[in-house]
């Protein structure tokens, strides 16, 4: 084999995650190397296994820069991912690499490798770096090997993107046009404030909207510090925090608690989350924010329990009341305070638009992002369609569950990601009609992809199989995307996140989709309908 590709693996910033996930990465790299060998190509790893750290990932931006100094800038390069990865670890090197780049992930729900791949792809897209992308469960299937051969011979991969169509506003009805235009005009005219509690979470370069693109839409960032959120959290009284906990208990949420802070969900952790919730609402009110995003990772994870319970409460119009510090006012009474998990500003702008469009149409305003985590055939026989697992550590409103808060459970966040614990909001998203969307940055402009989906009700055993294959502590949506195959979605989607909102009927969901497309187009975004 006189032909060779260079392989690198971007990892987590948290060594606990890198160590736990390393065996899956090893297995994936072995299968990928075997596939390359069948094409007559060898593999040269761009960085060695570190016995001291217990893994072979690039685990920091500085390490990534050093690794790329030893890589031939013209060599064919594969970024192999079986785990969640921090894109900024490798972006500096990839931005100046001249050879063909292929991002590859294993098709597995075990660790968020697919999610990491999509984040890297979205980040490369924003940065203007040319790349190709592939994924496989076994790396022995015909589809993967045919396209791998195409990349090895030509330096690029061609995917089927026939599901993507430029949005034609003439397809929208009169009411959708009117609502979309009104929402856009009001946003541009009145303007809105996006509260950002520290920017750039988990290396997600794709999640940061530059001001020169965001401001013309009518949205302006209020740059807030997580240290201020921590301070405000510590000012919340025990009585106020307990009132939030009591509200959740009375609403029927079930917390699975235990005595050990390191491994269990404790009552003290939940009370700190209740304090953070109150603090976030009060700071949002202080600055007149229309939406807020808490980074949490990194920073707050060392000081406070996870923000996920906080985020889910914020995103629901049915939530514990919060009063001003002097007790004279209820803040944001009766409405959701749109929150974008992991301070993903693209999701924040999308969520703000979604809330306003749905409110104008009289549709449910609660919306959230999810990770586009994994998909698989339904083994229960409920549907012949490929069913996606949409799953996120936080931000999901309980109104997305059939039983609301009474259908929500709280489990401790996985310790390898969340050392300070904290409760999740676990539940199953109710069956219904869904609008999905994603705003992203490409060619120095804002773009939006959107489409339709159905959330399904699958039998308990199939739901549990999917939870056990991913992260069982987190909320889940069983989603069938209309008119978009698995490979088409992976080939097109420019982010690890996908925004979802319910509508009362298929007709109402179509109308909401068109109205949001009109609003985005009026605001200067390039809009594409996917599938449908």
């Amino acid at each position: 084999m006189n032909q060779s590709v260079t392989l690198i693996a971007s990892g987590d910033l948290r060594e606990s995650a890198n160590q736990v996930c390393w065996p899956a990465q090893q297995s994936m790299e072995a299968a990928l190397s075997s596939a390359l060998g069948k094409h007559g190509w060898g593999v040269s790893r761009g960085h060695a296994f570190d016995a001291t750290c217990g893994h072979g990932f690039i685990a920091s931006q500085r390490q990534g820069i050093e690794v790329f100094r030893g890589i031939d800038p013209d060599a064919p390069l594969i970024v192999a991912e079986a785990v969640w990865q921090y894109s900024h670890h490798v972006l500096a090197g990839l931005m100046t690499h001249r050879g063909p780049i292929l991002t590859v992930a294993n098709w597995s729900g075990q660790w968020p490798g697919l999610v990491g791949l999509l984040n890297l792809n979205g980040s490369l897209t924003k940065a203007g770096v040319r790349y190709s992308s592939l994924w496989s469960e076994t790396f022995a299937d015909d589809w993967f090997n045919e396209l791998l051969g195409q990349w090895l011979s030509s330096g690029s991969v061609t995917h089927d993107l026939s599901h993507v169509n430029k949005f034609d506003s003439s397809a929208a009805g009169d009411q959708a046009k009117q609502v979309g235009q009104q929402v856009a005009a009001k946003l541009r005219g009145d303007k809105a404030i996006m509260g950002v509690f520290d920017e750039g979470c988990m290396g997600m370069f794709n999640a940061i909207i530059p001001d020169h693109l965001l401001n013309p839409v009518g949205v302006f960032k209020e740059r807030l510090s997580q240290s201020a959120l921590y301070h405000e959290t510590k000012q919340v009284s025990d009585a106020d925090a307990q009132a939030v906990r009591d509200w959740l208990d009375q609403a029927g949420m079930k917390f699975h608690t235990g005595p050990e802070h390191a491994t269990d969900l404790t009552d003290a952790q939940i009370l700190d989350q209740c304090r953070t919730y109150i603090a976030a609402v009060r700071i949002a009110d202080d600055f007149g924010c229309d939406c807020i995003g808490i980074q949490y990772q990194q920073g707050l994870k060392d000081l406070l329990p996870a923000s996920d319970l906080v985020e889910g409460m914020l995103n629901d119009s049915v939530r514990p009341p919060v009063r001003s510090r002097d007790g004279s006012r209820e803040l944001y009474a009766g409405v959701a305070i749109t929150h974008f998990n992991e301070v993903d500003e693209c999701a924040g702008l999308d969520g703000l638009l979604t809330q306003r469009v749905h409110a104008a149409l009289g549709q449910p305003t609660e919306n959230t992002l999810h990770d586009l985590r994994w998909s698989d055939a339904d083994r229960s026989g409920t549907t012949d369609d490929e069913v996606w697992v949409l799953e996120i550590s936080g931000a999901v409103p309980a109104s997305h569950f059939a039983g609301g808060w009474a259908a929500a459970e709280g489990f401790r966040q996985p310790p390898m990601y969340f050392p300070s614990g904290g409760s999740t909001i676990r539940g199953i998203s109710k069956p219904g009609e869904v609008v999905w969307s994603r705003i992203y940055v490409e060619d120095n402009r804002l773009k939006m992809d959107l489409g339709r989906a159905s959330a399904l009700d699958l039998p308990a055993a199939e739901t549990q199989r999917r939870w056990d294959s991913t992260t069982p502590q987190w909320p889940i949506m069983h989603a069938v995307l209309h008119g978009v195959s698995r490979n088409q979605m992976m080939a097109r989607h420019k982010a690890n996140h996908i925004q979802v909102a319910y509508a009362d009927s298929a007709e109402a969901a179509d109308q909401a989709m068109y109205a949001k497309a009109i609003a985005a187009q009026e605001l200067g975004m390039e809009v594409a309908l996917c599938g449908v």
Side-chain angles (χ1 to χ4, degrees):
M1 295 181 183
N2 57 7
Q3 295 175 302
S4 180
V5 299
T6 300
L7 184 147
I8 64 171
S10 179
D12 210 294
L13 195 64
R14 297 159 291 196
E15 290 290 59
S16 57
N18 284 331
Q19 292 160 359
V20 170
C21 299
W22 176 241
Q25 179 72 23
Q26 282 184 299
S27 177
M28 180 250 192
E29 288 187 22
L32 177 57
S33 295
S34 177
L36 287 162
K38 291 176 182 177
H39 286 275
W41 285 69
V43 177
S44 173
R45 209 166 191 279
H47 49 103
F49 172 82
D50 188 327
T52 302
C53 294
H55 65 81
F57 292 110
I58 296 172
S60 71
Q61 182 169 225
R62 170 52 60 189
Q63 183 187 359
I65 289 172
E66 296 299 329
V67 164
F68 269 91
R69 285 178 178 167
I71 293 175
D72 178 356
D74 295 307
L77 180 68
I78 291 179
V79 188
E81 297 300 336
V83 302
W84 169 257
Q85 59 81 44
Y86 279 52
S87 292
H88 81 297
H89 289 173
V90 292
L91 269 179
L94 292 172
M95 283 182 179
T96 55
H97 191 76
R98 296 190 297 262
I101 297 169
L102 180 68
T103 64
V104 180
N106 61 334
W107 197 265
S108 169
Q110 180 189 21
W111 307 122
L114 292 164
V115 185
L117 175 87
L118 288 169
N119 178 261
L120 180 58
N121 289 354
S123 296
L124 291 171
T125 296
K126 178 187 172 186
V129 176
R130 293 184 63 183
Y131 67 94
S132 297
S133 194
L134 286 174
W135 44 90
S136 179
E137 184 174 353
T138 65
F139 301 99
D141 57 283
D142 292 341
W143 178 86
F144 172 80
N145 277 287
E146 179 182 345
L147 293 183
L148 178 62
Q150 183 184 119
W151 181 77
L152 291 170
S153 62
S154 70
S156 64
V157 171
T158 303
H159 287 291
D160 173 19
L161 297 178
S162 59
H163 69 293
V164 181
N165 295 286
K166 183 178 179 181
F167 174 60
D168 181 359
S169 60
S170 66
D174 291 342
Q175 186 179 12
K177 287 181 181 177
Q178 183 179 22
V179 166
Q181 290 167 352
Q182 289 175 347
V183 167
K186 183 173 178 60
L187 185 58
R188 267 203 172 130
D190 294 351
K191 301 180 175 55
I193 294 177
M194 173 185 285
V196 178
F197 284 97
D198 292 338
E199 213 162 35
C201 181
M202 296 197 294
M204 295 191 298
F205 177 71
N206 69 316
I208 302 170
I209 302 178
D211 290 80
H212 72 275
L213 298 182
L214 185 64
N215 296 163
V217 172
V219 179
F220 295 79
K221 296 179 192 179
E222 189 72 56
R223 288 178 167 85
L224 305 168
S225 171
Q226 292 199 117
S227 62
L229 179 59
Y230 175 74
H231 173 76
E232 187 66 32
T233 294
K234 292 304 180 182
Q235 309 312 305
V236 175
S237 69
D238 292 346
D240 283 352
Q242 188 63 50
V244 173
R245 171 67 193 271
D246 291 344
W247 188 99
L248 292 169
D249 289 338
Q250 290 163 13
M253 184 172 180
K254 181 181 180 181
F255 293 100
H256 299 270
T257 58
E260 299 295 330
H261 174 76
T263 55
D264 295 326
L265 173 63
T266 67
D267 289 315
Q269 291 169 12
I270 298 168
L271 282 177
D272 269 345
Q273 289 179 298
C274 294
R275 290 185 177 90
T276 306
Y277 165 67
I278 293 169
V281 176
R282 286 175 175 168
I283 292 176
D285 177 67
D286 288 342
F287 290 92
C289 296
D290 297 274
C291 58
I292 60 172
I294 300 170
Q295 181 186 145
Y296 186 74
Q297 313 276 1
Q298 299 289 326
L300 279 185
K301 74 173 179 61
D302 300 313
L303 299 171
L304 288 171
S307 56
D308 304 87
L309 176 62
V310 177
E311 298 167 17
M313 286 190 281
L314 291 168
N315 268 337
D316 208 323
S317 60
V318 181
R319 57 181 176 81
V322 176
R323 304 198 71 82
S324 56
R325 295 176 188 83
D326 62 5
S328 64
R329 296 179 296 123
E330 182 179 349
L331 308 180
Y332 298 92
V335 298
I337 307 171
T338 297
H339 180 279
F340 39 108
N341 178 259
E342 296 164 347
V343 77
D344 182 344
E345 294 165 6
C346 294
L349 178 57
D350 200 331
L352 183 63
L353 280 178
T354 300
Q355 184 181 42
R356 294 188 176 194
V357 166
H358 280 235
L361 290 171
Q363 293 300 310
T365 59
E366 286 83 5
N367 69 97
T368 183
L369 60 78
H370 272 286
D371 279 343
L372 194 66
R373 179 68 182 264
W374 174 62
S375 76
D376 194 19
D378 166 38
R379 296 187 186 177
S380 71
T382 302
T383 180
D384 293 330
D385 294 317
E386 183 90 359
V387 181
W388 281 91
V389 172
L390 304 186
E391 200 172 70
I392 192 65
S393 64
V396 176
S399 289
H400 279 194
F401 309 149
W405 286 104
E409 297 180 271
F411 289 87
R412 192 199 191 280
Q413 287 283 15
M416 75 170 182
Y417 292 132
F418 300 89
S420 299
S423 176
T424 61
I425 302 180
R426 188 178 94 146
I428 305 165
S429 292
K430 60 191 175 185
E433 301 296 331
V434 171
V435 180
W436 69 263
S437 52
R438 176 64 189 181
I439 291 173
Y440 59 99
V441 179
E442 184 177 28
D443 300 329
N444 196 33
R445 65 176 303 184
L446 288 175
K447 298 185 179 183
M448 174 188 274
D449 286 355
L450 74 170
R452 288 269 285 104
S454 295
L456 302 186
D457 183 14
L458 296 181
E462 176 66 3
T463 297
Q464 193 61 52
R465 180 182 77 85
R466 290 166 177 269
W467 259 330
D468 291 342
S469 298
T470 52
T471 307
Q473 298 92 336
W474 293 354
I476 192 170
M477 175 182 280
H478 305 305
V480 171
L481 305 181
H482 297 184
V484 186
S485 72
R486 183 191 84 173
N487 288 342
Q488 286 176 327
M489 190 66 182
M490 288 294 298
R492 171 67 178 188
H493 207 61
K494 305 299 184 186
N496 45 313
H497 292 149
I498 183 171
Q499 203 76 13
V500 293
Y502 282 92
D504 293 334
S505 66
E507 182 181 11
D510 288 345
Q511 186 177 58
M513 177 187 70
Y514 283 123
K516 187 157 68 169
I518 290 287
Q521 193 175 69
E522 290 285 317
L523 291 168
M525 299 183 210
E526 181 179 302
V527 181
L529 292 186
C530 297
V532 190

